[in-house]
Amino acid sequence: MKKVITYGTFDLLHWGHIKLLERAKSLGDYLVVAISTDEFNRIKHKEAYHSFEHRKLILEAIRYVDEVIPESHWEQKIQDVKDHDIDIFVMGDDWKGEFDFLKDYCEVVYLPRTNGISTSKIKDDLG
Ligand code: C2G
């Protein structure tokens, strides 16, 4: 079984997130999504509308997602790859190059980001 992992806040879930998750799952058989905790979002200087628990509930309802784990700090990725026996690490290409250190542990794939939609755009458009 080929296992894939990806990370993110996934707040105000939108079709750009879904297209990322769909493509990530298509690279393997099992998709783990590490969702940023509310505390880690503060470190990322991101204010999520939905709490970690609610973002976790939403992600677990998506057909492409097999497991949701918390992302509580920047340094957990290598251990996550080991603990979950991950074959492929996936992120949108706004992160291109940032996680190349994981190449010693698994395949690293940066997928094109979906243009025209983002959580901040939603917030701006709603005013
Ligand atoms: N994404 C995308 N297209 C968009 C918006 C987001 O492909 N229009 C992708 C991002 O590239 C990322 C994932 O969806 O791979 C989740 O996006 P965010 O929730 O914004 O994730 P981020 O805050 O960048 O957190 O340790 C990594 C961080 O936790 C990533």
Side-chain angles (χ1 to χ4, degrees):
M1 176 167 73
K2 189 175 279 191
K3 297 185 75 178
V4 184
I5 195 167
T6 191
Y7 292 73
T9 299
F10 293 101
D11 192 36
L12 301 186
L13 196 75
H14 55 69
W15 47 279
H17 293 136
I18 296 298
K19 285 167 69 76
L20 186 284
L21 295 168
E22 179 183 27
R23 286 175 293 158
K25 179 61 178 283
S26 74
L27 296 174
D29 310 292
Y30 189 92
L31 177 60
V32 179
V33 181
I35 300 186
S36 307
T37 61
D38 297 330
E39 297 74 22
F40 183 53
N41 273 329
R42 278 191 277 283
I43 294 169
K44 287 167 50 175
H45 304 297
K46 267 198 157 181
E47 183 76 30
Y49 177 81
H50 293 300
S51 68
F52 169 80
E53 285 309 317
H54 288 156
R55 286 181 284 118
K56 181 172 183 288
L57 185 73
I58 292 166
L59 265 285
E60 284 171 343
I62 296 171
R63 71 174 74 155
Y64 307 118
V65 178
D66 297 288
E67 183 179 359
V68 176
I69 64 171
E71 178 189 26
S72 50
H73 53 89
W74 290 113
E75 299 77 25
Q76 71 182 73
K77 294 183 175 67
I78 291 174
Q79 198 57 50
D80 288 345
V81 168
K82 291 176 179 174
D83 292 348
H84 295 271
D85 196 23
I86 297 295
D87 300 289
I88 308 175
F89 168 90
V90 173
M91 285 301 291
D93 62 5
D94 45 322
W95 291 92
K96 192 165 180 59
E98 294 297 322
F99 303 113
D100 287 357
F101 64 87
L102 288 170
K103 287 180 178 175
D104 294 336
Y105 305 93
C106 64
E107 192 180 341
V108 174
V109 175
Y110 299 103
L111 297 171
R113 192 181 161 88
T114 301
N115 293 322
I117 185 68
S118 66
T119 302
S120 41
K121 179 178 183 340
I122 293 169
K123 289 177 180 175
D124 292 347
D125 289 355
L126 291 175

